[in-house]
Amino acid sequence: MPVADPGVRPAPAAQERPVTGDHGNGTAQPQQPKKSRAGRNLPAAIGVALLLGGAIVGSLLTVPVIFVGIVLAAVLVGLWEFSGALGRARTAPGGPGPVRLPLIPLAVGAVAMLIAAYERGPEGLGIATALTALAVMVWRMTEGPEDYLRDMATGVFAAFYLPFLAGFAVLMLAADDGAKRVLAFMIVVVCSDTGAYAAGVAFGKHKMAPKISPGKTWEGFAGAVATCAVAGALCLTLLLDGQWWQGALLGAAVAATAALGDLVESMIKRDLGVKDMGDLLPGHGGLMDRLDSLLASAPVVWLLLELYL
């Protein structure tokens, strides 16, 4: 039988090892921020959400036109994050390489689109969007024909995905009761995210789209529908001159569009090979990681409110 070396001290049992963060090199590692079951740094996420929500609600209750500036700032940051994600996209050997996003015409076009939406309504938003898409096509021509179609198509997609969809929130604001419409829109979308998160953490078992977004469950979606329906009914009756059933239908629609928006964002990130679009917001990732449900829901809420009120 082999004889143990008397100079070697046996390692303590696993249950007796002190939890110090030592990774075997004698140096204690800093403890990571505590995360929830959903993978977020929950205190940081809540703090950031309250700060952003306070800024939006404050603008709507005092000088509503400031909200246009907030939307524009969010869109410009989103375009910058999207450009960065495209630049660091995962590529296979011999692949096409990172996509170049024409930021200058997109940024100028975003300003024009949101101002046109506020001043000229849907027609102004549509015309400004078409001109922005044309500007992206022409701008990219100056860099040569290599990968032109790919880069141009991505730029036009970015124009529609960010400033165009965000323009519907500005269209809501332009109505006579615009501040209340936007406030109802924000409340219902936030309730969608909150209801889905709470129900998913508590009851989530059945994956909705495991290959796209493994954390999204049907139980979470059911929680979002229930929460949104209640929030929509309350917002339509208390904030706006609507019926409770109209608000419930609006809430259910928002739950669906918010889930689709999240899945689209997840699909884009998986295609690019990135976990988050950025790291600007602690506990959330990038700003675009929080805009997904808002962008997808804005045109639906605008349309339903136009039909209801």
Side-chain angles (χ1 to χ4, degrees):
M1 294 180 58
V3 180
D5 187 348
V8 178
R9 185 178 180 181
Q15 66 269 24
E16 297 174 354
R17 291 183 184 271
V19 181
T20 61
D22 188 352
H23 286 204
N25 56 6
T27 304
Q29 301 295 325
Q31 296 292 327
Q32 296 297 321
K34 199 169 186 179
K35 294 184 178 181
S36 67
R37 281 181 56 187
R40 291 187 189 181
N41 180 351
L42 195 55
I46 293 175
V48 170
L50 290 176
L51 182 63
L52 295 177
I56 293 172
V57 173
S59 69
L60 293 173
L61 296 180
T62 54
V63 185
V65 73
I66 295 177
F67 178 73
V68 179
I70 294 175
V71 174
L72 177 57
V75 167
L76 293 178
V77 172
L79 288 171
W80 173 73
E81 286 185 345
F82 189 34
S83 177
L86 290 169
R88 65 180 188 273
R90 177 191 60 219
T91 54
V99 179
R100 293 170 290 179
L101 197 68
L103 276 177
I104 293 179
L106 283 173
V108 174
V111 175
M113 290 161 68
L114 295 182
I115 292 177
Y118 188 71
E119 295 291 340
R120 299 294 181 180
E123 182 180 355
L125 176 60
I127 294 173
T129 302
L131 293 175
T132 300
L134 181 61
V136 168
M137 297 177 193
V138 174
W139 185 278
R140 180 57 183 83
M141 289 174 62
T142 63
E143 300 181 11
E146 184 179 359
D147 297 325
Y148 172 77
L149 181 61
R150 184 199 64 186
D151 294 348
M152 179 271 295
T154 304
V156 173
F157 165 76
F160 277 88
Y161 185 52
L162 278 159
F164 177 72
L165 292 182
F168 285 92
V170 176
L171 289 177
M172 291 184 223
L173 184 68
D176 292 337
D177 56 351
K180 293 180 179 180
R181 294 191 183 201
V182 174
L183 188 58
F185 161 62
M186 298 296 297
I187 289 173
V188 177
V189 174
V190 169
C191 285
S192 171
D193 290 343
T194 304
Y197 174 79
V201 169
F203 310 109
K205 291 181 180 179
H206 300 87
K207 304 294 185 182
M208 178 182 289
K211 293 184 178 180
I212 303 174
S213 182
K216 187 170 291 295
T217 63
W218 286 108
E219 290 82 1
F221 178 68
V225 172
T227 307
C228 282
V230 173
L234 291 174
C235 286
L236 262 289
T237 54
L238 299 179
L239 287 178
L240 301 165
D241 189 19
Q243 302 296 319
W244 69 266
W245 61 267
Q246 294 175 326
L249 290 177
L250 184 144
V254 166
T257 55
L260 289 174
D262 183 71
L263 290 175
V264 168
E265 179 85 358
S266 297
M267 182 70 81
I268 292 173
K269 291 188 290 187
R270 285 189 173 277
D271 185 37
L272 297 179
V274 298
K275 182 179 183 297
D276 292 317
M277 286 293 186
D279 56 1
L280 181 64
L281 304 178
H284 292 271
L287 184 60
M288 278 195 67
D289 297 297
R290 299 276 62 83
L291 290 177
D292 49 12
S293 55
L294 291 166
L295 292 172
S297 301
V300 174
V301 174
W302 173 79
L303 177 61
L304 289 177
L305 291 180
E306 286 292 306
L307 294 175
Y308 289 162
L309 306 176

